[in-house]
Amino acid sequence: MPVFHTKTIESILDPVAQQVSQLIILYEDAQRGLEIQNIGLHLREVTAAVENLLQVGQNLSATSKDEILKRELPLAGEKIENSCSMVNQAAKAFEPGAQGNVEDKHLMLDGARGILSGVSTLLLVWDESEIRKVLDICERIIEYLSVVEQVETHEEVATVSSNLQPGMNSLVNHVRARADDLIERNLMEMLNTEVRNTEKVHAVLISSMQMYVSVRSSSKLEGLLDAQRGRNCTQGMLVSSIQELKRILLLTSNSQVDLDELARIKRSLQTVFSCISDSISALQSTVSGARTLEAISSLNKTLTEGRSLIEMLPSTLQPPLLQKLDEIAELTRELELLQSSGKGESKEAEQLKATIAAKLSELDKAIRDAVMYEVVETFQDTNSALKALSAASESGSTDPRREERWERAKEVFEKQAGRMSATGTSVAQSLCSDPKAAWEIKRSADKLGKLTQQTVFAAKVVLMNPDKKQAKEHLNVLKAEWQGEATHLTALVDANTDSVAFADASEKVISDKLTQAEDAFKASNIELGASRVTDASKAAIRLVAVAKAEEENSSDPIFKQNLQSANQELESNLGPLVLSAKGCAQKPGNEMALNQFSKAADSVRKSASQVRGAMTPVKQPPRPPPPTADQLAEAVPEEIGEAPVKKDNPIGYAAHQLTREAFRWEERDNQLVSVAREMARMMKSMGKYTRYVRRP
């Protein structure tokens, strides 16, 4: 049967395929000597359906302006007509008095294949023509977007907006209709996701043009360059989004998605953990010099991938990981020397391979822990830096240090946003095993980076033009977009990380931050101490949120109860922690205040550990091996007892046999076994009051 990629093609081609298949079945029945009454009727049905399709195709070819369609459609129609002639000729062999032969069968099969192939080709030619219409809309919009850079007045903004809107509406409607018509779910989701992004970026572009014109019309022209950069950046994002729509529209199957995008992402986002696993397997399975070379090659790839990932992590996390990597690199060089000297299979080489494999396992765990630690730290608070940037931008124009404060807020915001993008990419490259999910995370991280740049431009314009309404409105638009994308990236990261590993890393982060806070308060560094308490509290709040999600998704009442209790304990300990931190801030160096803070910190550590413990699944002991036949024979329940003599008490003997069989099965939640045991007990009771009388 033909493969369809749209519901429209399926609705047209599938009935034709069914009719042709039925015609072939009837034809084969006739060849076996069966009497066929309606082969002519089926032939007329197929011919009528094909002729109607050909007529529609001819009308399309006559009215279309698509030169490719006008050239290819008649060729497909000609193929269909020739195939119909072959089927008609073969069918004559089964008219009364005619003699069918092997050539007639081949003619029928070739004609049937030709009809299906021709109809499929015709529909694909039409489908490709419809796609070209949408691609043409895309090209015209992209071409028109170059006008954006020339807009200088509010009137020109209105003109560009009114000229652009119909094309954007047409594009969105066509793409959504195409998505609804697609059979492949991946393609449908990709189109719908990208068209939503296109709509959002279009709205931001209009806002950025209004902001640019507003600044340009002012007398001082302050912030004009930032407004221009923001507008151009948004214009580029819209062009990129439309280009992505074009790429997805040209895909016709899930396999193309895999080959064109997902496989490429999988290759480019090859996780360091898969490399480590491959290296360990190669080390443990090397049996010859050639296989040792494979292990060395795999190790070198692991070292490259591992270093690339580690260098993406914060500098504070890198030294111990790089040290482990360097140790493996040195051992790999020793293995290479042994291999080059012909000792790749020696006992020394085997011991070295075992050492490298153990080191790789240690590196695997260390990297996982480091990436998860970074996830906890990075995504515990995604909005504070943006709020601070916005507040600094809108601060009073009379403040002499407003620009200095803004620069500091901008630096913090860019650092936080950059860290989120980098951490998201790290998750995609390490913890994420699904190529599609990795692609989504990477795409979201990239988009967040672009929105960060635009938001900074817009914030700078507001700083330089605090009275410009359009500038503030544009900043609000970008803030909403940025917050939405940050939330989306956080959700993607959460969905692709293990909740228990997250809880374990959260416990470590909370403990580390509280230790740093204690040291800071002891040194009378109140600002650092307060900052670390805030970090620990945010990590605890996020741990509570993740634990609540796990609780809601579980159907185990004991698990839910334990997790709820641990969560409530952690939440209740955060208040005393904050109060004790305030006491340290108000009384620097006070021993009583420091002791109270240490006790509160220990309570938070303990409750965070309890949450982690409640989220960790309990390891069930291994099931014992099944008993042997001898053990089963020996383990006779007391209720079974000894079997009576069959000839003296046949009912009792039958009851004994039934009892033995029933006790081989678990009675709980098994009504049949329960009934069998009850019947056995009744039969045994009956056997006591009956006796067997032998016939003479």
Side-chain angles (χ1 to χ4, degrees):
M1 294 292 290
V3 178
F4 320 113
H5 67 275
T6 69
K7 298 169 186 173
T8 300
I9 293 179
E10 180 184 39
S11 65
I12 298 172
L13 187 53
D14 190 49
V16 175
Q18 296 289 350
Q19 290 172 343
V20 172
S21 298
Q22 183 63 31
L23 185 61
I24 293 174
I25 292 171
L26 291 172
Y27 188 93
E28 291 177 343
D29 288 344
Q31 279 203 319
R32 290 196 298 268
L34 299 176
E35 183 178 356
I36 305 299
Q37 301 292 336
N38 58 351
I39 190 169
L41 175 61
H42 281 281
L43 183 60
R44 286 192 295 273
E45 289 178 351
V46 172
T47 303
V50 171
E51 286 178 350
N52 288 337
L53 193 58
L54 284 173
Q55 184 61 48
V56 173
Q58 290 171 359
N59 294 337
L60 281 172
S61 180
T63 58
S64 176
K65 296 180 181 180
D66 188 335
E67 293 299 325
I68 299 177
L69 176 73
K70 295 170 74 71
R71 182 175 65 251
E72 295 183 353
L73 210 56
L75 296 176
E78 184 179 346
K79 181 178 180 180
I80 295 172
E81 289 176 342
N82 293 336
S83 300
C84 284
S85 298
M86 295 168 66
V87 171
N88 283 321
Q89 183 179 345
K92 290 179 181 179
F94 293 92
E95 293 178 354
Q99 295 293 327
N101 54 37
V102 175
E103 292 182 359
D104 294 324
K105 179 178 180 180
H106 290 164
L107 196 64
M108 170 64 79
L109 293 176
D110 290 343
R113 293 191 191 100
I115 289 175
L116 292 178
S117 176
V119 171
S120 179
T121 300
L122 185 146
L123 292 173
L124 287 174
V125 168
W126 165 78
D127 187 69
E128 290 168 0
S129 175
E130 293 297 301
I131 293 298
R132 284 194 293 273
K133 291 179 183 178
V134 186
L135 296 180
D136 183 60
I137 296 173
C138 293
E139 287 297 332
R140 283 188 275 129
I141 292 175
I142 291 174
E143 182 180 355
Y144 186 75
L145 285 173
S146 61
V147 177
V148 168
E149 298 179 5
Q150 303 171 17
V151 173
E152 297 181 349
T153 66
H154 289 291
E155 291 76 12
E156 290 174 345
V157 171
T159 300
V160 170
S161 179
S162 61
N163 291 341
L164 189 59
Q165 192 64 52
M168 289 298 300
N169 290 341
S170 177
L171 175 61
V172 169
N173 292 336
H174 276 87
V175 170
R176 283 185 172 155
R178 177 67 176 180
D180 291 341
D181 195 34
L182 288 172
I183 293 176
E184 295 289 357
R185 185 172 183 83
N186 276 345
L187 287 173
M188 180 185 68
E189 291 177 352
M190 291 170 71
L191 269 183
N192 283 328
T193 298
E194 195 56 51
V195 78
R196 285 195 296 268
N197 182 59
T198 302
E199 288 183 294
K200 291 179 180 179
V201 179
H202 173 229
V204 175
L205 177 62
I206 301 301
S207 177
S208 68
M209 286 194 294
Q210 291 172 339
M211 179 188 67
Y212 171 76
V213 169
S214 176
V215 174
R216 195 178 188 283
S217 63
S218 63
S219 57
K220 295 183 180 179
L221 300 179
E222 291 182 336
L224 182 63
L225 182 59
D226 291 286
Q228 183 181 16
R229 288 172 176 170
R231 181 203 62 190
N232 294 347
C233 183
T234 309
Q235 178 198 28
M237 285 183 66
L238 184 55
V239 171
S240 297
S241 182
I242 295 174
Q243 293 284 13
E244 179 65 6
L245 281 177
K246 289 174 59 181
R247 187 192 69 81
I248 301 172
L249 284 167
L250 291 171
L251 302 177
T252 58
S253 70
N254 207 30
S255 61
Q256 280 188 289
V257 177
D258 294 337
L259 293 174
D260 186 67
E261 185 63 24
L262 298 186
R264 181 182 66 79
I265 292 296
K266 190 170 185 178
R267 288 193 298 271
S268 63
L269 297 182
Q270 177 74 14
T271 70
V272 66
F273 301 127
S274 63
C275 292
I276 290 174
S277 178
D278 292 343
S279 296
I280 292 175
S281 298
L283 288 166
Q284 293 174 343
S285 65
T286 52
V287 294
S288 66
R291 297 295 296 276
T292 302
L293 285 174
E294 291 180 17
I296 292 172
S297 175
S298 181
L299 282 168
N300 288 328
K301 182 179 179 182
T302 297
L303 292 170
T304 301
E305 294 289 339
R307 191 171 299 278
S308 175
L309 176 61
I310 292 170
E311 289 176 350
M312 294 179 62
L313 298 172
S315 57
T316 55
L317 300 177
Q318 292 183 20
L321 298 177
L322 291 174
Q323 181 180 353
K324 291 181 181 293
L325 203 68
D326 290 339
E327 291 174 359
I328 295 172
E330 180 61 31
L331 293 173
T332 302
R333 284 191 288 271
E334 292 180 20
L335 184 61
E336 288 176 335
L337 289 174
L338 288 175
Q339 174 64 23
S340 62
S341 61
K343 298 179 180 179
E345 300 178 45
S346 64
K347 185 176 181 181
E348 182 183 359
E350 292 302 320
Q351 292 175 346
L352 188 58
K353 292 171 191 175
T355 302
I356 295 174
K359 292 284 185 182
L360 285 171
S361 298
E362 294 176 8
L363 178 65
D364 182 289
K365 185 178 185 307
I367 293 179
R368 289 180 189 274
D369 291 346
V371 172
M372 189 58 73
Y373 193 98
E374 181 63 9
V375 167
V376 173
E377 277 206 313
T378 302
F379 292 96
Q380 66 184 12
D381 179 15
T382 59
N383 290 325
S384 294
L386 177 61
K387 292 178 180 178
L389 177 67
S390 178
S393 301
E394 299 176 7
S395 60
S397 57
T398 57
D399 184 357
R401 300 181 60 189
R402 62 193 301 266
E403 291 192 25
E404 178 185 342
R405 291 195 178 93
W406 185 88
E407 287 292 340
R408 191 161 55 247
K410 171 203 167 202
E411 182 180 349
V412 171
F413 173 66
E414 289 180 330
K415 182 179 179 181
Q416 171 66 12
R419 192 175 179 184
M420 290 172 63
S421 295
T423 303
T425 303
S426 297
V427 170
Q429 289 180 316
S430 58
L431 303 180
C432 188
S433 58
D434 179 8
K436 186 172 184 292
W439 172 74
E440 290 176 345
I441 293 174
K442 184 68 167 60
R443 183 178 178 278
S444 180
D446 291 343
K447 184 179 179 183
L448 188 70
K450 293 176 181 177
L451 286 171
T452 299
Q453 186 181 27
Q454 289 178 274
T455 303
V456 169
F457 288 146
K460 183 64 176 293
V461 173
V462 172
L463 177 72
M464 305 305 292
N465 301 270
D467 299 327
K468 288 290 183 183
K469 179 182 177 183
Q470 291 87 347
K472 291 182 178 180
E473 290 176 349
H474 181 62
L475 178 59
N476 289 335
V477 169
L478 283 171
K479 282 165 56 180
E481 283 294 309
W482 192 95
Q483 288 174 326
E485 197 59 42
T487 301
H488 180 56
L489 179 59
T490 304
L492 287 173
V493 169
D494 285 349
N496 289 278
T497 52
D498 181 69
S499 58
V500 176
F502 178 87
D504 186 59
S506 296
E507 181 186 357
K508 293 176 183 176
V509 169
I510 292 168
S511 180
D512 289 348
K513 298 299 180 184
L514 291 176
T515 299
Q516 293 168 14
E518 287 180 282
D519 293 341
F521 284 139
K522 289 176 182 178
S524 298
N525 191 339
I526 305 304
E527 184 177 355
L528 179 61
S531 175
R532 294 298 178 263
V533 170
T534 301
D535 291 340
S537 299
K538 289 177 179 178
I541 291 170
R542 182 151 155 73
L543 174 59
V544 167
V546 171
K548 284 183 177 179
E550 287 294 303
E551 178 190 333
E552 292 172 359
N553 293 331
S554 175
S555 58
D556 185 345
I558 298 177
F559 175 83
K560 291 168 72 76
Q561 178 60 39
N562 292 341
L563 194 53
Q564 185 181 44
S565 176
N567 251 346
Q568 291 173 348
E569 181 73 15
L570 178 56
E571 285 183 297
S572 66
N573 285 329
L574 292 179
L577 176 71
V578 174
L579 289 175
S580 62
K582 288 182 178 178
C584 290
Q586 293 169 354
K587 301 176 182 178
N590 184 279
E591 285 295 328
M592 184 177 294
L594 290 172
N595 288 335
Q596 288 179 343
F597 178 76
S598 294
K599 290 180 181 178
D602 286 340
S603 297
V604 171
R605 288 191 186 96
K606 182 179 178 181
S607 53
S609 178
Q610 289 173 341
V611 172
R612 189 260 306 155
M615 290 177 68
T616 305
V618 179
K619 291 185 178 180
Q620 299 294 334
R623 298 182 65 178
T628 63
D630 293 338
Q631 290 173 329
L632 284 174
E634 294 173 1
V636 179
E638 184 178 349
E639 186 174 344
I640 295 179
E642 295 184 2
V645 180
K646 182 177 182 180
K647 62 181 180 180
D648 294 335
N649 190 352
I651 294 180
Y653 179 81
H656 179 270
Q657 295 294 82
L658 179 59
T659 304
R660 284 184 65 90
E661 182 65 25
F663 269 93
R664 291 178 57 194
W665 306 92
E666 174 62 49
E667 184 177 12
R668 186 178 59 184
D669 298 330
N670 194 329
Q671 188 176 4
L672 183 61
V673 174
S674 299
V675 172
R677 291 188 182 183
E678 182 62 27
M679 288 176 60
R681 282 191 285 270
M682 293 174 64
M683 291 172 64
K684 186 176 182 180
S685 178
M686 291 170 60
K688 294 178 180 179
Y689 302 103
T690 60
R691 61 189 179 89
Y692 180 66
V693 180
R694 294 179 181 272
R695 293 181 179 274

